[in-house]
Amino acid sequence: ISITGSTRAGVLVAQAAAVTVKRVAQELGGKSPNVVLPDADLTRAIPPGVAAAFRNMGQSCSAPTRLIVPRAALDRVHELALATL
């Protein structure tokens, strides 16, 4: 389970996940993620997503400093992200 939300939501998710010992990754009250769906055009989605993380030097709460991508696309996303820098 991966969520972005408030501390209150994180507590509720962790409690619900504990019953069945689910792994939980939480970003509580932090910066926004870019969520890349399986059918996304990676060459159009990744470069602007990487660039957006550096707006205002990454110092805003809306700076999307994380990419959540399908595992199958991870290698290609990594290539595109490095090429953008």
Side-chain angles (χ1 to χ4, degrees):
I1 300 170
S2 178
I3 71 158
T4 299
S6 67
T7 302
R8 182 173 158 224
V11 168
L12 294 172
V13 169
Q15 288 173 338
V19 176
T20 56
V21 194
K22 297 238 181 336
R23 290 177 286 158
V24 178
Q26 300 187 44
E27 175 62 39
L28 306 178
K31 296 182 179 180
S32 303
N34 275 325
V35 178
V36 180
L37 300 177
D39 64 344
D41 179 345
L42 299 178
T43 59
R44 292 185 62 201
I46 301 307
V50 170
F54 296 98
R55 285 190 201 120
N56 293 326
M57 300 176 74
Q59 298 296 316
S60 67
C61 62
S62 62
T65 55
R66 296 181 304 132
L67 284 168
I68 297 176
V69 301
R71 187 177 304 273
L74 189 57
D75 289 339
R76 181 67 179 139
V77 168
H78 187 243
E79 285 175 19
L80 291 165
L82 287 176
T84 302
L85 299 175

